[in-house]
Structures are given as structure tokens and as C-alpha cells.
Amino acid sequence: MNPTENPSRLRRVLAPAAIACTVLAFVAGTAHSPAEHSAQSTSPVTAKLTTATGGSSAHYGQHGTPLATRWNPLAARWPVVSRGQRGVRVTTVQSLLAARGHRLAADGVFGPATTKAVKAFQRAHRLAPDGTVGPKTWSALISNLRPGSHGQAVTAAQRLLTSHGHPTAADGVFGPRTTAAVKAFQRDQHLAMDGVVGPKTWNALVNAPVGTTPAPRGYVLKFIKNWHRTDDSRLAFYHDGRLVKSYRAGSGMGSTYECAKNEGWLPSGTYKVLGHQTDRNSAIKGYAIHLADKYCHPTKPKQKPIMRGDLFIHSNMTKNGDSRWHGSYKSKGCIKLSPPDIKDLFNRLDTVGWPKTLHVS
């Protein structure tokens, strides 16, 4: 348009364009407002979307990962732990602080010493030193733990696992039993079973209800899988939630796929104990504990569940209980103990009473 033309006509043409530019600028500014991406201003819906994806990977939120699938530990809901509180969450905070070099007893009591240590940690990490463990402090405290890790942070994870029904010694060593307990917990929480205690698994460990469910009363049998070596798992029994005895046990022929034909990695879940005998005379002979059938769920899409039957806890024996043991813990479709261990188990349970269920995890 020629600048010398009628000025009123020029104003009529430019005014709508100016309004449109203003609206676009406002929308663009809103879409890219830092508050929209702030962990503290994330809406519950956004938090659910970001926490619903992926597993407990040691690598998360990498450059190039779409925002919708990125798991932000700050956006997740973490429990607030503060002065005056007691329990395993406080013990966890204390152990994680100790792992970061703060001299602090893990006594489960959030008192002045713990408050002081939290404030010191917060200052060192440029956080507001309020002495309260919230989302930002949790995210700074946790670290990725995996097989081979050791120290106070591992001890904290082990205590949490035990409090959630996956007992493991709080020895600070991330070995096969801790790995098995982590994977069992991840499966229960519908997380990727990678055996790594990353941000998602830490979040689930400290968020899951603790101490609200009483330990099962009486005697309970539990088979704890070793996902690295199927023939070095554990069969244990507990009384009122306390470990009485643990035996080395195997399940399957080496595969951890529960639906593999004739492989026998026992499906996870709770089994009814149908009976027990010392002179069984079928494919399984001698000492045997008969378990109810169990469905396994194939990993391939649209494949129906498969019923697994003829399930036993047994050893390799003759009908009279004589040993045919050759030192192998591999078994098709069952849990296998050594002959001395299964006899010891029978003697103990004959004395105290037989459990009605077996839990496999």
C-alpha cells in the first residue's frame, strides 16, 4: 500500500492484524509459560500421565524424550516427612542422609538431629532449608540402586521391601535375594521388572502403605524366586510374619517364562495346599506337597491364559523316600528341594501344623 494513500484506510487495514498478533502472542506466551512446566504447578492429571509411563529405569527424562512420556520425579506425589514423625519412612530418610555423608542414626524418630541433617542437605543442594522432606528433597536424596550396589541407601531399600512383604536381610548389599525382592515388588506395583531401584520404584516403596496390614498369623509358606538363577531360589516358612526357616529351592528348567511348556517356572500368586504325603507313587514320588492348579498369563497379545497343573513341592525320590538326588534343583512344573531339606520341612510342619496356602513371588 502506498504510504501517501488515505491514512484512515491504512488504520482500518492494520487494526485487525494488530489484534490478531496480540492474541497469538498471548497464546504463545501461555503455551510456553515456565509455570506450565514447573514441577510444583503440575496438575494432578499431568502428574498421572507422566507417572503412568515407563519403568524404574536408571535413565529417565533424557534429551529427546517426548514430554508426554517423560517421568518427572518432582511431578510425582511423594510423602511429606517432617519433625515429630516416626516409622520406616523416617528410617529411610535417615539412611539416605547417612549414605550422603551425614552422621545420623537410623532410629525411625524424626527429631532435632534429623531436622538438622535435612536442613544441611537442603542447603548443600540449594533447596529451601525448611527441614521437611518433600518432593524436591526426596528427588535429591534418592539414587539408582542395582545389583552390586552397597551401603546405607541399599539398607533403606531393603527395609522398605521387607515392610511391604518381600523380606530380605538389611545388610546393605544388593545381591540376588534383594534383586528378587525388588522384582517381586515391581511386579506387585505394575512397574517394569528390571530389578533396579530407580525413581519410580523409590516412589512406590515410600508411598505404599506401611505397617497398616498386619503380618499373616500362623505359619505361612513362601517361595521367593531368583530371577537370575532359577535353581537358586528360596522356599521359606514364617510364623506370625517372622522367618523360621529358609531352604534353597529350584523351579523350572532355567526359563523364567511362566507359560513355557515343560519348563516349570512356577506362576506367581497364591496357591492352595491340597495335601502332603511321604510315599507318593506317581510321576512325583516320595515326599511331596500337592498344590492347586494355576493359570499363567502369556506375554503375547490376545493369547489366552494357560492352566498349569500337576504342581508340587518335592524332591527326587522313590516311593519309599529313598534319594534319587543328583544335586540338580531343576524341575518340570514344580518346586524342588534337596531330600534332607524336604524331610526337615515335613518334620517341622508336622509338629507345628501345615499351612493352607503357598505364596509365590
Side-chain angles (χ1 to χ4, degrees):
M1 182 180 294
N2 192 325
T4 60
E5 292 187 39
N6 190 330
S8 63
R9 182 185 174 192
L10 182 62
R11 285 194 296 270
R12 288 197 301 271
V13 172
L14 293 178
I19 294 171
C21 290
T22 303
V23 172
L24 286 173
F26 175 77
V27 172
T30 303
H32 296 284
S33 170
E36 287 295 317
H37 301 292
S38 167
Q40 297 306 313
S41 62
T42 303
S43 69
V45 173
T46 305
K48 288 181 181 179
L49 285 174
T50 55
T51 57
T53 55
S56 301
S57 174
H59 306 287
Y60 58 94
Q62 296 182 18
H63 178 71
T65 304
L67 182 61
T69 62
R70 189 180 300 164
W71 194 86
N72 184 352
L74 283 176
R77 295 181 179 178
W78 292 87
V80 175
V81 184
S82 58
R83 186 165 180 170
Q85 294 184 4
R86 296 170 177 259
V88 70
R89 285 175 180 158
V90 176
T91 304
T92 300
V93 168
Q94 292 168 329
S95 296
L96 291 175
L97 286 166
R100 299 294 187 132
H102 297 268
R103 293 185 178 181
L104 191 64
D107 59 6
V109 179
F110 203 126
T114 302
T115 303
K116 182 179 179 181
V118 170
K119 287 182 177 181
F121 176 83
Q122 289 170 329
R123 281 192 293 268
H125 288 78
R126 298 182 179 179
L127 301 173
D130 58 6
T132 296
V133 182
K136 289 185 177 181
T137 305
W138 275 116
S139 297
L141 272 174
I142 61 173
S143 58
N144 292 312
L145 306 176
R146 52 175 47 82
S149 298
H150 56 86
Q152 293 281 356
V154 175
T155 302
Q158 290 169 328
R159 286 172 175 158
L160 285 167
L161 288 164
T162 298
S163 72
H164 294 312
H166 301 285
T168 182
D171 57 7
V173 179
F174 202 128
R177 294 188 186 182
T178 300
T179 303
V182 170
K183 288 187 174 182
F185 175 79
Q186 288 172 329
R187 186 197 62 248
D188 291 348
Q189 298 294 316
H190 307 289
L191 299 171
M193 292 169 54
D194 57 9
V196 174
V197 183
K200 283 191 177 182
T201 301
W202 273 118
N203 184 266
L205 281 169
V206 299
N207 266 316
V210 175
T212 56
T213 303
R217 306 299 294 176
Y219 288 89
V220 177
L221 274 174
K222 179 177 283 191
F223 180 64
I224 304 165
K225 296 178 176 180
N226 182 341
W227 292 83
H228 293 289
R229 285 192 57 186
T230 61
D231 63 347
D232 192 18
S233 300
R234 289 291 181 272
L235 180 71
F237 75 99
Y238 298 79
H239 181 242
D240 293 346
R242 294 187 177 184
L243 178 66
V244 176
K245 183 75 174 181
S246 175
Y247 307 94
R248 180 181 174 180
S251 178
M253 301 299 289
S255 171
T256 57
Y257 181 45
E258 295 179 346
C259 296
K261 187 176 181 180
N262 294 327
E263 291 296 323
W265 183 242
L266 212 64
S268 300
T270 301
Y271 293 74
K272 183 178 180 181
V273 175
L274 300 178
H276 59 278
Q277 57 190 114
T278 60
D279 58 352
R280 187 174 180 84
N281 190 26
S282 62
I284 299 296
K285 294 181 171 62
Y287 284 67
I289 302 170
H290 192 188
L291 306 174
D293 296 347
K294 189 76 172 178
Y295 278 108
C296 66
H297 298 277
T299 55
K300 294 180 179 179
K302 298 183 180 180
Q303 192 173 356
K304 295 182 179 179
I306 298 171
M307 177 65 79
R308 291 279 305 276
D310 294 326
L311 304 177
F312 295 89
I313 301 172
H314 75 105
S315 188
N316 193 14
M317 292 180 171
T318 67
K319 173 186 175 182
N320 297 324
D322 295 328
S323 176
R324 296 184 298 177
W325 179 254
H326 300 293
S328 174
Y329 284 88
K330 293 183 177 180
S331 173
K332 296 181 179 180
C334 299
I335 295 172
K336 192 174 180 182
L337 301 176
S338 70
D341 284 346
I342 200 168
K343 288 180 179 180
D344 182 74
L345 176 64
F346 267 66
N347 288 336
R348 289 172 181 270
L349 295 182
D350 281 340
T351 301
V352 301
W354 279 80
K356 296 181 179 179
T357 57
L358 165 75
H359 182 71
V360 178
S361 62

